[in-house]
Amino acid sequence: MSTSLLIHDSAAAGHTNWACAQLAAGRAQGVIIDPFHTPLTSRPRHCDAAQVVDRVREHRPGVEILLDPSTHAALLQGTNLRANYDTWSLWPDGFANLANPLALRSHVEAVLAVQHSLGIAPTAPTRVLDHPTGAAADCALALADEARRQQPDVRQALVGRRSFWAAGHALDDYLGRLVTLRAPQWHVTVLRDNPDFPPDLTDRYSTAGLARSVHSLARRASVSLGHGADVAALPALAAGADGLGTGWYSKQRVCSPSLFQTGGGGLNRRWCPHPGLLARLRGDVAEALDDRDADFAREMRGQRDLPSNEAERRDQHLDAVAALVAHLDAAGANAAARVPAARRLLQTADDAWNRAIALGLNDLGRPEQTRWITELRAGFELYARCEEL
């Protein structure tokens, strides 16, 4: 099994050019389009979906193209980034609601029809879940059932907040119901409270629950992670996920309500990836580390020079993520082989953080180590214990 890196959609200028360049260079293996960032019909400064699909396929024939219907986002309170989304006409009455069986069936029909028109393998709509029980959870199952009825081989989707993934036995029971769908593919996403990167991983039960869910689904199907948050996806990748949604901007890596709201985008700081630390460092911190111990700093960057411009930073970022998934791919295709490899990666990174902290830089301390590694390890090890790995 080889894990695919999938570049998430973005409304940023030049996004399609960059994505196509990464596909052509072999740094990524697919793209994820969503209606909030790519219109179905052309708008000023926005290519339409058919143009994007054609350009992507020109640069890499046979590339994986996933269209996330983003129904979960359309139903979120506060979503107002609708200029592109409304061009898709996914709701027959013009309003995003699933209040009755007819509205649900009509929405599923519209979603599958537009994907068919673009020549894209179908992905079912779903909604955000706060807990595996209740009306929302039942509605998500109804959407999945209807999508399967209309298109038996449809890729199913699952989107949950941290509370959903931390729900223990209730989550296990819900996963049992999902497995009966016999979907050949799953697209799984964590909706986080904000777009911070790395994401908040203080709830190790949530991290473990996501990995256990992927573990269960991956026994019978292919599983991709939407907005996988790169390093934070390590437990789920170890559990058997074979697709990871990523990108340069935080909103391509982390899914939060702000992704679907106008304003608040901000600009990326001058970040530098340090795969040896399983982290990225602010540009000035990376330079300070290089000044203190150039050989160690270069080792942590994967024997790469400090990036001198944004293009190099973007390329190095994607190379670092690709190296991470390649390391797990080399270990094997299942969790039994990948978990030990992931554990070694985390231990090596933790040791490297201890060495970096010993250099005495003010911006490299225990809080940063905790944010990048300690909390991630806690969730990973909880998952591994649950699965006796």
Side-chain angles (χ1 to χ4, degrees):
M1 178 178 68
S2 179
T3 302
S4 298
L5 288 188
L6 309 171
I7 298 178
H8 267 288
D9 215 344
S10 172
H15 165 71
T16 301
N17 290 338
W18 179 72
C20 288
Q22 302 312 308
L23 291 168
R27 289 192 176 92
Q29 290 71 48
V31 298
I32 300 175
I33 299 171
D34 80 74
F36 282 93
H37 295 90
T38 293
L40 184 61
T41 55
S42 293
R43 297 181 60 243
R45 298 183 298 279
H46 289 82
C47 294
D48 64 51
Q51 291 174 320
V52 172
V53 169
D54 288 345
R55 289 189 60 193
V56 164
R57 286 175 172 160
E58 285 174 7
H59 282 78
R60 186 158 181 165
V63 69
E64 181 174 1
I65 302 176
L66 189 158
L67 194 150
D68 184 345
S70 300
T71 299
H72 57 281
L75 296 170
L76 279 177
Q77 184 176 4
T79 293
N80 61 3
L81 191 69
R82 294 189 175 274
N84 290 332
Y85 183 83
D86 289 343
T87 68
W88 292 75
S89 302
L90 298 177
W91 303 90
D93 61 2
F95 298 97
N97 78 82
L98 300 168
N100 57 68
L102 177 59
L104 185 148
R105 183 169 64 253
S106 298
H107 176 61
V108 172
E109 286 176 352
V111 165
L112 297 182
V114 77
Q115 293 180 91
H116 177 74
S117 72
L118 292 169
I120 296 174
T123 299
T126 191
R127 60 182 304 166
V128 176
L129 300 182
D130 296 309
H131 195 269
T133 61
D138 291 341
C139 180
L141 274 173
L143 282 166
D145 276 329
E146 179 60 29
R148 181 181 63 164
R149 186 190 69 80
Q150 294 187 27
Q151 184 74 46
D153 62 348
V154 67
R155 185 195 319 247
Q156 297 286 358
L158 180 62
V159 181
R161 297 183 190 270
R162 289 197 307 174
S163 56
F164 173 80
W165 304 108
H169 293 304
L171 175 63
D172 294 338
D173 292 342
Y174 194 71
L175 285 170
R177 299 170 70 185
L178 295 178
V179 167
T180 64
L181 295 167
R182 301 186 182 279
Q185 295 175 302
W186 282 91
H187 188 58
V188 177
T189 303
V190 180
L191 182 74
R192 304 187 186 275
D193 293 337
N194 56 61
D196 291 348
F197 185 80
D200 182 355
L201 300 177
T202 52
D203 186 349
R204 68 177 188 270
Y205 293 99
S206 178
T207 301
L210 173 64
R212 288 194 304 106
S213 300
V214 169
H215 186 107
S216 178
L217 296 173
R219 288 173 175 166
R220 304 165 184 84
S222 172
V223 181
S224 58
L225 298 174
H227 300 279
D230 296 350
V231 173
L234 186 57
L237 290 169
D242 57 9
L244 176 61
T246 186
W248 171 240
Y249 296 102
S250 292
K251 288 185 176 183
Q252 292 174 283
R253 284 177 274 118
V254 178
C255 185
S256 73
S258 66
L259 178 63
F260 312 103
Q261 298 168 358
T262 56
L267 297 175
N268 265 4
R269 292 191 182 186
R270 192 164 55 91
W271 296 108
C272 178
H274 283 63
L277 297 169
L278 290 181
R280 66 174 191 175
L281 303 180
R282 216 172 56 233
D284 59 325
V285 178
E287 290 167 0
L289 180 62
D290 202 60
D291 289 341
R292 291 289 177 93
D293 191 330
D295 290 340
F296 171 67
R298 187 175 179 82
E299 179 185 351
M300 293 301 97
R301 294 194 301 272
Q303 303 302 327
R304 305 286 291 267
D305 293 333
L306 282 167
S308 59
N309 54 54
E310 182 166 324
E312 290 183 4
R313 285 190 286 273
R314 290 187 182 198
D315 290 352
Q316 288 191 22
H317 163 74
L318 214 55
D319 284 341
V321 181
L324 172 66
V325 299
H327 185 89
L328 296 182
D329 285 346
N334 56 34
R338 286 182 166 199
V339 165
R343 183 176 283 121
R344 289 191 294 272
L345 275 175
L346 287 164
Q347 181 61 60
T348 299
D350 213 0
D351 293 342
W353 268 99
N354 291 333
R355 180 174 172 184
I357 291 169
L359 294 173
L361 291 171
N362 292 334
D363 292 298
L364 288 180
R366 296 299 172 194
E368 287 295 296
Q369 181 181 26
T370 297
R371 203 163 64 96
W372 284 100
I373 296 297
T374 309
E375 292 167 350
L376 181 61
R377 286 189 77 183
F380 168 79
E381 291 298 348
L382 178 59
Y383 150 70
R385 287 196 300 274
C386 289
E387 299 297 337
E388 298 182 348
L389 294 169

